[in-house]
């Protein structure tokens, strides 16, 4: 399972960076991460078994990775 998660996170990072530029600030990264957290929370609250909890979780991990790489390690 660990390998699948890593593969999915890498794919999400690649996809996100094709669509959006790298983070420019802590504030920008925080806003994006918060939006992803809100989307996961909406899935959880819906109590829908078919919701995208896994996908939303992968997006959160991917954006946290981008924050660390693009903002914290500059």
């Amino acid at each position: 399972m660990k390998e699948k998660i890593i593969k999915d996170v890498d794919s999400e990072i690649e996809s996100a960076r094709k669509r959006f530029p790298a983070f420019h600030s802590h504030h920008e990264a925080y806003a994006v991460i918060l939006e992803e957290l809100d989307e996961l929370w909406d899935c959880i609250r819906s109590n829908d078994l078919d919701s995208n909890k896994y996908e939303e979780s992968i997006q959160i991990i991917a954006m946290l990775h981008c924050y660390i790489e693009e903002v914290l390690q500059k």
Side-chain angles (χ1 to χ4, degrees):
M1 182 67 167
K2 184 177 181 179
E3 290 80 19
K4 177 181 176 10
I5 293 169
I6 292 169
K7 180 179 170 268
D8 290 345
V9 169
D10 286 344
S11 294
E12 181 61 31
I13 292 168
E14 184 178 327
S15 173
R17 286 302 162 247
K18 285 181 181 174
R19 294 177 291 153
F20 305 104
F23 293 134
H24 295 99
S25 69
H26 298 278
H27 292 89
E28 180 185 14
Y30 175 78
V32 172
I33 293 164
L34 182 59
E35 179 182 351
E36 296 301 339
L37 282 167
D38 285 343
E39 290 172 4
L40 175 61
W41 181 233
D42 289 343
C43 289
I44 291 168
R45 285 192 331 214
S46 75
N47 220 10
D48 181 3
L49 296 177
D50 293 330
S51 68
N52 298 324
K53 292 179 197 80
Y54 178 81
E55 290 81 5
E56 294 298 340
S57 298
I58 292 297
Q59 290 173 356
I60 293 165
I61 297 166
M63 293 303 97
L64 285 167
H65 180 279
C66 289
Y67 171 61
I68 292 168
E69 190 173 77
E70 298 166 0
V71 179
L72 292 181
Q73 294 188 349
K74 277 189 172 178

